[in-house]
Every structure is written in structure tokens, then in C-alpha cells.
Amino acid sequence: MLTFLLLIAGLILVAQALIGLSFLISCLQEKERRASFFAALQLLAMLLLLVFFFHLHSTGFFRTGAGIALLVVGLVVFGAFAFVLLRRTLPNPKALQGAKGLIVGEVKRFDEREIVFARNRSLRPGSEEYKAFYASHPELEAYDTKRRERGGPLGQLGAIDGQSGAANAAAALAPTSIPQSLSGPALVFPEAHPALKGKRIEMTADEATRRVKGFALNAGADLVGITEINPLWIYSQRGEIFHDNWQDWGKEIPVEHKFAIVFATEMNFEMVGAAPHTPTVIESMNNYAKGAYIATQLAAYVANLGYPATANHLRHYDAVLVPLAVDAGLGELGRLGYLMTKEFGPRVRLAAVTTSLPLVPDKPADIGVEDFCRICKKCATCCPSQSIPMADQTVVNGTLRWKLNEQTCFDYWGKIGTDCNICMRVCPWSHARTFPHKLIVEMVSRNKSSRRVFRLMDDVFYGRKPKPRQAPLWAGFM
Ligand code: SF4
Ligand code: SF4
């Protein structure tokens, strides 16, 4: 029995040291100096404990009464900790309902004309649309005029990095032609290829689901989920005009399709690591382009199967994608107002295809985000414009959630000339998905106590206000 207990204790200590070593390697890979320092200290402590254990063993200490008591107490304490941190705690019933779980009152469909980008791009001063919009939203006119004078939501692109960021500003503009050129009606609402016109390829919903998900992943999506569309998440009126289609401005957007295939692409960890500097806006644009490229092909694929489909990407949205993604099981809504995925945290961009092709919806995911965000608040602490609430969720348009102050956030974008992304960079869920971080996410997703322990550890290892990391060499800006 004693030999068995000693074997278990030895194995636990060796496993701990190995995890400590892999965490140190992970911190070095992340190029996090502070975290690497603390990880090295932690590993040293684990190795000392291991050496001490073998030393005591070699002296025969564990054959004495005190040694046996220490061994038993040590194992019991470890077992208790493991139980507290690993068991699955009660699920969050709200998260299990998806975006519906946020609803506490009457929800009005969003009007796309009110979105800041639509106001900026589609309202030409002096036009009929301009007059009509500000007659009903007079409180926004002065703010929007100031923003337009500054050059739109991003102001002077790359301003934060001055002349040394000029090459990155050029890189950020490079992908923008892709969503734009993929936003014409023929690509957004594709018809079947002439060779397939008038035909429908019959298959079960199971098979169609497997095929469209596989297609999206093969085309470059990193996560894909399916939901039955809640009409509340379809914009009520068209507000974005990209092809002089002014007749569409303010037109009601019908809810035509039953399903949405929602997908996410991972934003590169190193590029986001430099936020709010220019590499992060290159990465945002890169992922919007990827989203457009995948959504366009996926919509065409579904059209070729014989069903109507609409591509939703940066230059054409029928739907508000975050609640659709929550319903499709890709993650939960975080304090910072983005989708939080288990795989990459908020470090993703979304796009989607809506369709009437019969599909099998995914179930919403409960990954512990709401509870974690309630105690974490790191994004709110680090937000330079205090746009993320520190307080609890409030009711906004019939939904209980954390409400980002978009105006102050966009003001900050306009000042620095990038889309900032500091909140995304500092979020503990955004770490590179190395083995130790995958293990931690697994634990915090299932266990409340783990969330409290790892939130504290994130502050200790990475700091309460982590600094931007170095960008990859090619996207340098200093
Ligand atoms: S930083 Fe913390 S509070 Fe903010 S979204 Fe991430 S987990 Fe939630
Ligand atoms: S993008 Fe920047 S300014 Fe906007 S909420 Fe996030 S941290 Fe704040």
C-alpha cells in the first residue's frame, strides 16, 4: 500500500513539473517576458519539491509515522484541490438557451441605418437619405459630422504609429478590395452554376450539414456552427449602400431563410498581440477578406445544391452575426461585446450564409463566459476610452448584457487610426492555444472555482494591464 501511495505521489509531482515546463515553453512561445519569468519560478518550485520528495524517499522518511502522515495528508489535500477545480459545476441555463437567454423584455430588430459604419458610408451630406435620417436622429448629427471630418471611424489610418506605420497602413488597405468586390448581388445572392440550374441535389439534413460544414472548414473557416434563424437577429431595414443601390436604403429586409451557417476565422495571435498598433488592423482586414471569400463560395455551393443562399460578410449583412453565432454554438457573448469562443476567445472574425437548405442546428454552448466575465473585467480595466462597463449587465433593447459604449470606442479608433483591439488582446481567453492554455480553458469552461483561480493567475503571470507584444518582423512599426 505504501509503495502504491509513493508511486501516486511521485507521478503527481512529475506530472506537475511537466505541465510547469510546458507552461514555461508556452510563455516563451507567446513572447511574454513577465509570464515566462513567473513560469520559470513556478517550475523551479515544482522541481525543488520533486527533488525534496525523492530525497526524503531515499532517507526512508516515508517509512516513519510522520512520513506516512505527511504523504497521506499531501495526497488528500491534492485530491481535494483536484476535486474542487475539476468537477463540472452547475451549468448556466441562460447560456444553454443561446442568445434567447439574454432576452428579458421586448426586443426590436436592429435597423442597419443606425450602425455607425452605415451612417458614415451611406449618408452623403445634403442627400435625401441624410436629411431623412438626421430628422429622426438629431442627437447623432453633430457627432457624425465630427467623425466624417476626421476621416471616418478609423480617422487617419495608422496614425498611432506615425510614419513608421505607413507600410502597415498600406497592408491594412490591401485586403479591403476583396469584400467590396464580392458584394455585388450576383455573388451575395448567387444563382446555381449554369450546368446545375433547375436541378436540386437531394440529401438528408444530416448529410447537408456534414457537407456544408466540411466545405466551410476546407475553404478556411476555423469554427463553424448552424442555427435556426431567430428573426430578431435579422436587420429590419437596409442601411449599407455599396453599389449606388440607393433604392435599397431603408428598405425592409425580409426574413426569408430558416437557417444560418455561421463561421469564424481565427485572428493571428502575434498580430493581435501588437494591439492597438497597426498590425492588429491588418489582421482585422485580413479576416474580413477571408470571411468574404469563404461566405461567397459557401453561398455559391448551397445555390448549386439547388437552394437559395445569401452571403453575409463585411460588405453585406442581412443579420447581426454575434447573436447568430451564439445560437449556432460558437460561443457566448463576453463583457467586451464580442463573441467569445472556447477555441480562440474573442480573437475571431465572423461571417455567415443564410439559407433554406434543410440543416441540423447546433446547440448553444455553455463555456462559463458569463461567470468568468463577471469576475474578470480585464478588458474594462485596460480599455483606454472606458467604453466597456465595469458594472453588471444592463437591459439594452430587451436584452440583459454588457453594453459597449460604441461612440467612445470609435472616438478612440479615430484618434489612433486602427480598430484598437486592446480588449481582444488582453482577454485571458485570447492566449495562444498551446497545451497549457487548452487545459486551462477546459477547466474554466466546466468549473466555477477554476475560473476564480485562473483569473487571479492570469493577473499574476501576464499582469493586470498587459503591454502590447512585438509584432512579427514583416509587420514591424517601430
Ligand atoms: S477580458 Fe475578462 S471580462 Fe473582458 S471579455 Fe475577456 S474574460 Fe470577459
Ligand atoms: S476596441 Fe479599444 S477602445 Fe474599443 S472597447 Fe476595445 S479596448 Fe476599448
Side-chain angles (χ1 to χ4, degrees):
M1 184 64 177
L2 180 63
T3 313
F4 177 70
L5 292 182
L6 282 169
L7 183 68
I8 297 287
L11 284 176
I12 289 171
L13 289 172
V14 170
Q16 262 192 179
L18 285 176
I19 291 175
L21 176 64
S22 78
F23 187 55
L24 173 60
I25 294 170
S26 162
C27 296
L28 291 169
Q29 282 173 344
E30 286 183 312
K31 298 192 183 118
E32 288 280 2
R33 274 202 217 153
R34 176 190 166 119
S36 302
F37 173 73
F38 282 110
L41 280 187
Q42 179 182 261
L43 177 62
L44 190 66
M46 286 169 172
L47 289 174
L48 284 177
L49 194 64
L50 188 62
V51 169
F52 189 54
F53 171 79
F54 281 113
H55 169 71
L56 289 181
H57 183 247
S58 68
T59 61
F61 174 71
F62 290 121
R63 301 200 179 281
T64 67
I68 292 171
L70 182 67
L71 184 64
V72 172
V73 169
L75 285 172
V76 169
V77 169
F78 176 82
F81 263 116
F83 176 74
V84 170
L85 295 180
L86 291 175
R87 84 205 151 93
R88 184 175 284 286
T89 45
L90 286 178
N92 177 358
K94 276 159 64 188
L96 292 172
Q97 291 177 57
K100 225 189 252 171
L102 305 173
I103 298 178
V104 290
E106 195 201 337
V107 181
K108 278 208 237 127
R109 283 166 64 190
F110 298 89
D111 184 337
E112 199 189 28
R113 290 172 297 183
E114 292 174 9
I115 304 293
V116 73
F117 297 102
R119 288 173 5 223
N120 191 69
R121 275 191 289 256
S122 307
L123 292 175
R124 300 154 303 165
S127 65
E128 286 310 310
E129 296 82 19
Y130 183 100
K131 287 179 205 155
F133 183 80
Y134 290 112
S136 54
H137 299 79
E139 74 286 359
L140 293 175
E141 187 169 8
Y143 172 82
D144 286 357
T145 304
K146 227 162 100 192
R147 200 194 46 250
R148 273 189 212 98
E149 282 166 6
R150 216 178 38 213
L154 289 184
Q156 190 202 331
L157 188 61
I160 187 174
D161 296 332
Q163 199 42 42
S164 57
N168 280 351
L173 288 171
T176 57
S177 61
I178 292 174
Q180 179 66 26
S181 56
L182 296 180
S183 64
L187 295 173
V188 166
F189 312 105
E191 297 205 342
H193 189 280
L196 298 166
K197 220 163 195 162
K199 295 180 189 152
R200 183 167 271 188
I201 298 172
E202 296 299 339
M203 62 180 89
T204 63
D206 272 334
E207 185 184 351
T209 302
R210 202 171 60 244
R211 287 188 181 276
V212 295
K213 282 187 171 180
F215 184 95
L217 292 169
N218 187 54
D222 292 300
L223 304 171
V224 56
I226 287 169
T227 180
E228 220 176 297
I229 293 174
N230 181 340
L232 291 174
W233 315 138
I234 301 290
Y235 283 115
S236 59
Q237 255 86 24
R238 175 80 58 223
E240 290 267 38
I241 300 299
F242 295 114
H243 299 280
D244 274 337
N245 47 324
W246 291 102
Q247 71 284 358
D248 290 347
W249 191 83
K251 209 163 155 185
E252 196 180 329
I253 300 179
V255 184
E256 288 175 324
H257 297 153
K258 188 168 179 199
F259 296 100
I261 309 156
V262 192
F263 60 87
T265 55
E266 180 192 4
M267 291 174 70
N268 180 282
F269 171 77
E270 282 190 295
M271 297 291 274
V272 172
H277 293 278
T278 40
T280 200
V281 71
I282 302 178
E283 190 54 15
S284 298
M285 295 308 173
N286 176 28
N287 278 273
Y288 284 127
K290 279 190 201 171
Y293 164 83
I294 299 164
T296 305
Q297 290 187 61
L298 184 58
Y301 175 45
V302 174
N304 286 348
L305 294 177
Y307 292 85
T310 304
N312 281 249
H313 60 72
L314 183 68
R315 287 291 178 264
H316 179 95
Y317 292 115
D318 283 349
V320 189
L321 295 193
V322 172
L324 273 195
V326 170
D327 287 344
L330 295 191
E332 291 181 48
L333 180 66
R335 181 184 286 271
L336 75 182
Y338 293 154
L339 175 79
M340 301 273 287
T341 65
K342 189 172 174 185
E343 293 76 4
F344 314 110
R347 208 164 33 80
V348 292
R349 284 286 185 256
L350 297 170
V353 166
T354 61
T355 179
S356 47
L357 168 70
L359 294 166
V360 181
D362 288 290
K363 289 196 171 65
D366 170 17
I367 53 173
V369 164
E370 189 184 19
D371 185 38
F372 197 98
C373 284
R374 191 163 287 132
I375 54 172
C376 169
K377 304 181 182 175
K378 201 169 201 164
C379 52
T381 306
C382 296
C383 173
S385 59
Q386 285 91 48
S387 304
I388 301 172
M390 277 279 183
D392 262 353
Q393 296 118 307
T394 49
V395 179
V396 187
N397 184 26
T399 56
L400 186 64
R401 61 189 164 100
W402 286 289
K403 171 80 175 93
L404 179 78
N405 184 334
E406 284 158 3
Q407 296 211 353
T408 51
C409 171
F410 290 138
D411 278 347
Y412 186 70
W413 290 19
K415 214 158 91 190
I416 61 172
T418 74
D419 57 350
C420 178
N421 282 336
I422 291 177
C423 44
M424 184 186 282
R425 166 172 62 76
V426 302
C427 178
W429 291 67
S430 279
H431 290 301
R433 280 303 183 258
T434 53
F435 166 70
H437 285 304
K438 282 187 186 163
L439 192 66
I440 291 168
V441 168
E442 204 50 61
M443 288 170 76
V444 301
S445 297
R446 55 185 286 134
N447 182 283
K448 260 179 173 276
S449 308
S450 282
R451 287 171 209 149
R452 274 124 192 102
V453 169
F454 286 113
R455 185 201 80 74
L456 271 178
M457 283 181 69
D458 199 84
D459 281 358
V460 171
F461 280 80
Y462 294 90
R464 186 69 186 147
K465 285 190 164 189
K467 293 197 169 53
R469 292 182 296 271
Q470 249 182 6
L473 196 58
W474 73 268
F477 54 88
M478 277 191 267

